[in-house]
Amino acid sequence: PTNNNNFYKIEVTVEETVSEPAEYTLDTTADLTAFDAGAKKDGDSEVVKDFFTIFYSAKTKVDGSSKTFEDEYKGTQRLNFGGKSAIGDTVKNAIQIKVDGKASVKIWFAQGGDDNRQVAIFDAEGNAIATSELAEMAKNSPYIAELEIPEAGTYFIGNPTNNNNFYKITVIEEVAATPAKDYILDTTTDLTAMAAGAKADGDVEKAGTEDFFSIYYSAKTKIDSSAKT
């Protein structure tokens, strides 16, 4: 701050950082516009909140049907796909999400039949990687399923056997911590010797670990030998 000093080594430690988990919610009451069966074609899609992509079918409808769930969430409009999910050349009756790591998925739905119809998460090839295991389910009754996604990728939320009616989906994506890292500038190994006058005022050079350091020179700067222990 006052006059010249001679630098030999600088070490900077960037501490570990942990971000808040990312959370995304699709609420079919608040986020979708009602339409009748036949308004969509197989494979028609709609992006909601820049995260969920809904793949419709010709049987899909969004209509009024009130349900109150055990956590006191109340939905008044449902997404009724009209059939089981298909993941293939033409995707239909499914909701696509893309995550960068592990994620927890919570699904509020009403059973569309009386045969213990579950909900599932499929991978990009159509394999069910997580399926609910609810028992003694009643037709048209509300349920909440909680499923896990093990790793980053593209996934589809939907019906593995037959239609269910969706009210709300929440995806909480885990965010990996960025570990602490050291950045080092060693003037002996990282810089090339030069005489005063070799640089002009304001000349800049990146150096050190991953070019973390930007060195701003002046016309008086020099890099020369001077042993110190």
Side-chain angles (χ1 to χ4, degrees):
T2 57
N3 211 323
N4 185 62
N5 285 305
N6 300 311
F7 293 87
Y8 285 81
K9 185 178 180 181
I10 299 171
E11 183 173 330
V12 176
T13 298
V14 177
E15 295 182 355
E16 178 183 67
T17 57
V18 180
S19 301
E20 290 294 321
E23 183 171 337
Y24 308 91
T25 298
L26 170 64
D27 186 319
T28 61
T29 298
D31 299 330
L32 301 182
T33 301
F35 61 84
D36 295 327
K40 305 290 185 181
K41 301 187 298 294
D42 288 357
D44 281 357
S45 64
E46 177 183 3
V47 178
V48 180
K49 292 184 172 177
D50 293 326
F51 183 77
F52 300 92
T53 301
I54 304 173
F55 287 88
Y56 300 111
S57 71
K59 293 183 178 181
T60 303
K61 62 181 178 180
V62 175
D63 61 351
S65 181
S66 294
K67 289 285 181 289
T68 300
F69 293 77
E70 61 184 19
D71 62 352
E72 299 185 357
Y73 163 73
K74 182 177 181 179
T76 59
Q77 181 171 266
R78 64 186 180 179
L79 169 58
N80 180 342
F81 278 125
K84 66 180 292 187
S85 300
I87 315 299
D89 293 336
T90 299
V91 179
K92 64 179 182 179
N93 298 333
I95 301 164
Q96 177 185 282
I97 61 173
K98 295 180 181 180
V99 295
D100 295 326
K102 293 181 179 180
S104 300
V105 180
K106 193 171 183 179
I107 303 166
W108 290 254
F109 73 101
Q111 186 188 195
D114 55 6
D115 48 357
N116 279 353
R117 296 179 185 178
Q118 307 297 323
V119 290
I121 298 174
F122 306 89
D123 63 19
E125 286 71 47
N127 303 304
I129 59 99
T131 303
S132 60
E133 297 180 353
L134 299 167
E136 299 181 2
M137 301 169 70
K139 183 177 181 179
N140 208 31
S141 292
Y143 297 95
I144 300 173
E146 297 187 49
L147 304 175
E148 299 294 324
I149 293 174
E151 59 187 2
T154 298
Y155 297 93
F156 297 86
I157 300 165
N159 301 311
T161 58
N162 209 327
N163 184 62
N164 287 304
N165 301 310
F166 293 85
Y167 284 82
K168 184 179 176 183
I169 296 172
T170 296
V171 178
I172 300 177
E173 188 175 357
E174 293 183 16
V175 180
T178 301
K181 186 168 184 177
D182 293 331
Y183 297 88
I184 297 172
L185 173 65
D186 187 322
T187 60
T188 300
T189 58
D190 296 336
L191 302 180
T192 301
M194 65 178 183
K199 300 290 186 181
D201 289 354
D203 281 357
V204 63
E205 176 185 5
K206 289 186 175 295
T209 306
E210 298 179 2
D211 287 338
F212 179 80
F213 300 88
S214 294
I215 304 171
Y216 286 83
Y217 296 111
S218 72
K220 293 182 178 180
T221 303
K222 63 180 177 180
I223 298 173
D224 58 355
S225 298
S226 179
K228 291 286 184 293
T229 300

